Amino acid sequence: MKKINRKNIIERPKLKAFEKPIYVTRPLLPSIDEMTGKLKVIWESQWLTNNGAQHQMLEKKMTEALKVSNVSLFNNGTIALIVACQNLDLKGEVITTPFTFPATTHVLSWNRLTPVFCDIDPVTMNIDADKIEALITPRTSAILAVHVFGTPCDVEKIGKIAKKHNLKVIYDAAHAFGVEINGRGIANFGDISMFSFHATKLFHTAEGGALAYTNKKYKKQIDLLKNFGIADEETIILPGINGKMNEIQAALGLVTLKYVNDERKKRELIKKEYIKQLFGLKGISFLPEIKGVRNSYQYFVVRIDEKMFGRSRDYLYEKFKKFNVFTRKYFYPLCSQYECYAYLNSAKKEKLPVANKVVKEVLAMPFFGGLKVKDVKKICQIIKMIHTKWI
Ligand code: T4K
């Protein structure tokens, strides 16, 4: 009998599930002592909300961090976006992307505006600027675009279309904290940009958000809109909402902000490790780096081409759970597929071929500064084992 040469047998690595769950993200948290120090100041002041000292400090710091002349802080990004639409007095139809978090489209509904879905670019996964003009009607008042996963939209092209057709432009920059194009803060493009400071964001205030804009004339009205329209104790000049960020949120933001650059560096290394491990693996691709663009390091997403990879995105997502890894299928389903919007003419599947393809391919991987390189290696090992159909 022929002797088996053990060297020729490829051993299947045995991988155990992670002991603790690995989530798609974890919030950047300062030390509890540092936060306690800030809380003491707030306690002593007995000033908890309504444009307090922490709020004022953070708002100023945000103009620097975002490199934009005007910032208004909010209690969350969704309310901020609702207020942005109110401030621009939008009417009728707004052209938007179906590949986003529900908040983007819902904000239009809350303003009694009709979303008109536009297909997306196959590479950046942002609204396809070349398809916007065909959707403009006499009822169109604005474009609401999203810098998905922090990749900037084609701001030049969108700006030109808006100018030509006299439309307003709002950017949902929820994922784009710190993004710059050739050194210019991303909020210098369009009429108003919204940032989310939710706990899952690179920079956060637990819950929170901001509007950023270059037109200083907006400041007064936006700040009225987020404070019930109160001009003074006896004068209420418009139907505002409560969109105020409180002092505890602002304080958390001030402390967290100090560590954002460190976190960015850590995430940059993690991203490099993912790419090193997965580069060349058939059927897996990454978002392209765009020349002159400063990355937000908000998400690290991969795209799975089922035919080439051999398994679907959903297979990976489910398999990962068995290893205690919780990836996310952002943004599945498309907003155009929700029951509340599927009736719209623009929501028809055949009108959004790229978005309907992309939404089955994207997987957001665990991505946060506290993730260890050895864990990234193991996560990539799982992907490789799925690819070879060992699991
Ligand atoms: N526009 C866009 C394009 C957006 O992506 C968002 C929000 C908005 C507008 C609205 O902005 P905000 O009104 O939220 O400011 C999360 C966030 O809740 C949401 O803010 C974010 N986008 C969205 C992309 O992600 P979920 O439903 O995925 O969150 P959740 O609770 O499943 O959290 C994800 C993972 O993060 C968890 O598995 C574990 C980890 N996590 C989460 C929280 C809340 C923590 O470790 N600690 C935490 O405190 O929506």
Side-chain angles (χ1 to χ4, degrees):
M1 208 169 78
K2 212 174 157 194
K3 222 177 153 195
I4 297 169
N5 181 355
R6 293 227 152 254
K7 275 188 198 151
N8 292 338
I9 298 175
I10 304 166
E11 291 273 341
R12 291 182 184 204
K14 286 189 186 75
L15 283 184
K16 280 195 192 141
F18 285 95
E19 249 167 55
K20 286 189 183 155
I22 305 260
Y23 294 112
V24 69
T25 191
R26 302 257 70 184
L28 170 59
L29 284 173
S31 77
I32 188 82
D33 291 342
E34 206 172 348
M35 189 59 199
T36 311
K38 271 274 179 207
L39 288 176
K40 275 189 185 144
V41 176
I42 297 173
W43 255 239
E44 275 155 24
S45 75
Q46 296 185 44
W47 196 274
L48 301 184
T49 185
N50 291 8
N51 200 24
Q54 308 296 320
H55 182 286
Q56 287 174 26
M57 262 188 272
L58 184 63
E59 204 163 82
K60 191 167 174 295
K61 289 248 182 219
M62 280 298 113
T63 58
E64 292 156 19
L66 298 170
K67 292 195 180 170
V68 62
S69 46
N70 302 281
V71 169
S72 297
L73 299 177
F74 279 82
N75 49 2
N76 64 60
T78 306
I79 298 285
L81 208 48
I82 288 177
V83 165
C85 297
Q86 292 269 319
N87 183 63
L88 297 173
D89 197 21
L90 303 187
K91 300 268 185 290
E93 297 171 358
V94 174
I95 298 171
T96 191
T97 172
F99 188 62
T100 182
F101 192 66
T104 318
T105 318
H106 289 345
V107 155
L108 297 176
S109 287
W110 276 72
N111 278 290
R112 297 271 178 262
L113 296 160
T114 307
V116 175
F117 294 113
C118 178
D119 207 1
I120 61 171
D121 180 278
V123 178
T124 64
M125 302 186 271
N126 288 328
I127 195 165
D128 187 340
D130 289 329
K131 293 184 180 152
I132 292 176
E133 269 192 298
L135 300 170
I136 297 175
T137 73
R139 295 193 67 226
T140 311
S141 62
I143 300 163
L144 170 54
V146 182
H147 302 302
V148 179
F149 306 130
T151 306
C153 294
D154 191 339
V155 290
E156 296 298 336
K157 214 174 260 175
I158 292 174
K160 276 189 194 145
I161 296 168
K163 201 168 170 204
K164 184 170 157 199
H165 297 273
N166 196 23
L167 304 176
K168 298 289 184 201
V169 178
I170 300 180
Y171 284 113
D172 176 335
H175 307 168
F177 185 85
V179 171
E180 293 169 12
I181 303 179
N182 297 321
R184 286 182 77 193
I186 192 72
N188 290 287
F189 302 92
D191 292 281
I192 304 182
S193 298
M194 178 281 281
F195 294 87
S196 166
F197 301 155
H198 182 261
T200 52
K201 300 296 180 284
L202 173 87
F203 167 75
H204 74 94
T205 56
E207 287 275 4
L211 293 181
Y213 40 95
T214 51
N215 188 343
K216 66 171 189 281
K217 286 189 197 143
Y218 290 168
K219 177 85 180 147
K220 195 171 166 204
Q221 178 157 303
I222 287 176
D223 289 352
L224 279 168
L225 279 166
K226 72 168 186 184
N227 186 27
F228 314 100
I230 299 175
D232 63 50
E233 275 179 44
E234 297 179 8
T235 327
I236 286 82
I237 54 177
L238 43 80
I241 198 167
N242 183 354
K244 292 167 284 136
M245 177 183 278
N246 68 48
E247 287 293 274
I248 299 169
Q249 287 173 290
L252 179 58
L254 282 166
V255 183
T256 306
L257 189 60
K258 293 194 214 162
Y259 302 99
V260 164
N261 277 340
D262 265 7
E263 176 72 10
R264 287 174 60 88
K265 282 183 198 139
K266 286 181 189 159
R267 290 186 184 202
E268 190 181 354
L269 290 176
I270 292 165
K271 183 181 167 190
K272 277 193 180 140
E273 189 61 37
Y274 268 123
I275 293 176
K276 186 176 142 197
Q277 295 295 329
L278 298 176
F279 193 79
L281 197 62
K282 239 173 122 191
I284 295 245
S285 59
F286 319 107
L287 269 170
E289 293 281 343
I290 301 174
K291 210 172 156 241
V293 170
R294 182 174 186 249
N295 202 303
S296 72
Y297 292 109
Q298 175 58 58
Y299 293 104
F300 180 77
V301 301
V302 294
R303 276 174 74 176
I304 318 289
D305 179 326
E306 187 178 343
K307 269 197 194 131
M308 284 170 71
F309 184 71
R311 296 284 198 199
S312 69
R313 183 274 311 269
D314 290 356
Y315 186 92
L316 244 90
Y317 168 80
E318 291 300 336
K319 232 351 150 208
F320 267 133
K321 285 199 227 165
K322 306 238 176 320
F323 286 90
N324 222 359
V325 178
F326 299 92
T327 58
R328 293 303 285 261
K329 297 191 245 176
Y330 292 137
F331 289 103
Y332 177 85
L334 294 172
C335 296
S336 51
Q337 293 169 326
Y338 306 165
E339 217 178 306
C340 48
Y341 304 120
Y343 73 93
L344 291 165
N345 191 36
S346 66
K348 286 188 180 138
K349 205 173 173 186
E350 60 273 20
K351 296 200 175 198
L352 306 165
V354 181
N356 276 282
K357 179 177 180 291
V358 162
V359 79
K360 290 187 230 148
E361 296 178 350
V362 177
L363 196 62
M365 304 300 295
F367 191 56
F368 49 93
L371 189 63
K372 296 188 180 77
V373 165
K374 74 171 177 32
D375 294 342
V376 175
K377 284 185 177 154
K378 184 165 161 179
I379 291 166
C380 294
Q381 187 68 41
I382 297 169
I383 298 180
K384 287 175 192 168
M385 285 173 71
I386 294 171
H387 176 59
T388 48
K389 300 200 170 152
W390 282 354
I391 49 175

